[in-house]
Amino acid sequence: MTTKMTITTDSLEKQIESQIREWSRFSLEKKHGKSLPMCPYAENTWNNDKVSIQFAYKDYIKKLKSIQETWNDTYDVIILACFDFENDPDAFQNTLDGINENASNTNLWVMGFSPHCYGGIFEANPKTPPSSYAMIFIQRLAKLQEAAYELQDLGYYKEYESQVMHENREVAYKKLINGEGYSVARKPS
């Protein structure tokens, strides 16, 4: 007699939430021989319960737009785990770049990690199994860019981040604060 083990969506999501938290501890919160961790704010954001993990099993762009439309600042970061992302890393990044073209209107910025780019999501931590999902980080553009300015003086950008991404985010931020998009003082309705 054979017993089939079924993984429920709830147990799968709990497993993924645990993987993402472990990945953050190892990949984002440790210095790995550099002067600062990849994300100096990550540990504090997790510890203050300001991170939400959500899931998109199909049509991740629709889910991402829904998150943007209903953003209410309960969380500083929403991580969208998507299962239907583009396998081509350039296509995936191009999709996110297209969404970020509207960042000065939404005051939200997206960054993605997929198993097919940067050597894979979990390449830095051999204890974490390979993933079948991509992650999209959604954050307030203004808050992210203001933190970037603080880190710039500490030499952060000599060690981390694509210069192109930094420049694109800064352009969107300047449009935002110059009144060419979302107003910082105005909360979304």
Side-chain angles (χ1 to χ4, degrees):
M1 184 171 173
T2 321
T3 308
K4 269 190 162 178
M5 184 176 220
T6 312
I7 297 179
T8 65
T9 301
D10 286 346
S11 66
L12 175 65
E13 289 180 359
K14 289 197 183 313
Q15 180 183 7
I16 290 170
E17 287 171 354
S18 178
Q19 283 179 348
I20 291 172
R21 183 62 187 107
E22 179 63 24
W23 174 81
S24 177
R25 280 188 188 103
F26 189 85
S27 299
L28 299 181
E29 299 167 36
K30 291 189 180 212
K31 291 183 181 179
H32 297 287
K34 299 189 181 206
S35 61
L36 292 166
M38 183 181 283
C39 182
Y41 304 104
E43 183 177 11
N44 191 45
T45 304
W46 283 102
N47 290 343
N48 288 320
D49 295 321
K50 298 300 281 181
V51 179
S52 172
I53 299 173
Q54 297 185 24
F55 297 87
Y57 294 95
K58 61 180 182 171
D59 201 356
Y60 80 88
I61 296 169
K62 182 178 179 181
K63 177 70 174 177
L64 177 56
K65 288 181 179 182
S66 172
I67 290 169
Q68 288 180 313
E69 290 167 2
T70 60
W71 189 276
N72 63 13
D73 294 310
T74 299
Y75 299 101
D76 288 343
V77 178
I78 293 179
I79 301 170
L80 181 61
C82 354
F83 292 87
D84 69 333
F85 59 97
E86 298 88 342
N87 284 324
D88 176 5
D90 290 330
F92 179 65
Q93 187 58 51
N94 287 340
T95 298
L96 300 182
D97 289 346
I99 292 166
N100 280 335
E101 287 177 7
N102 196 36
S104 64
N105 294 315
T106 63
N107 191 18
L108 294 168
W109 189 260
V110 299
M111 293 180 286
F113 293 88
S114 88
H116 308 297
C117 59
Y118 310 115
I121 294 173
F122 300 113
E123 81 286 351
N125 186 353
K127 295 186 287 184
T128 309
S131 68
S132 59
Y133 57 92
M135 295 186 292
I136 299 174
F137 291 70
I138 306 131
Q139 299 173 263
R140 279 283 182 214
L141 169 62
K143 189 170 187 173
L144 184 62
Q145 189 59 36
E146 288 160 9
Y149 287 142
E150 291 175 11
L151 293 173
Q152 191 169 6
D153 293 337
L154 301 174
Y156 175 88
Y157 294 102
K158 292 177 183 159
E159 296 181 325
Y160 290 111
E161 197 175 77
S162 155
Q163 188 63 31
V164 172
M165 183 192 339
H166 178 69
E167 289 169 1
N168 290 345
R169 189 179 62 227
E170 186 173 36
V171 166
Y173 175 73
K174 286 180 177 179
K175 284 182 180 178
L176 174 76
I177 62 172
N178 289 331
E180 298 173 42
Y182 178 95
S183 169
V184 176
R186 176 173 54 92
K187 295 282 185 192
S189 51

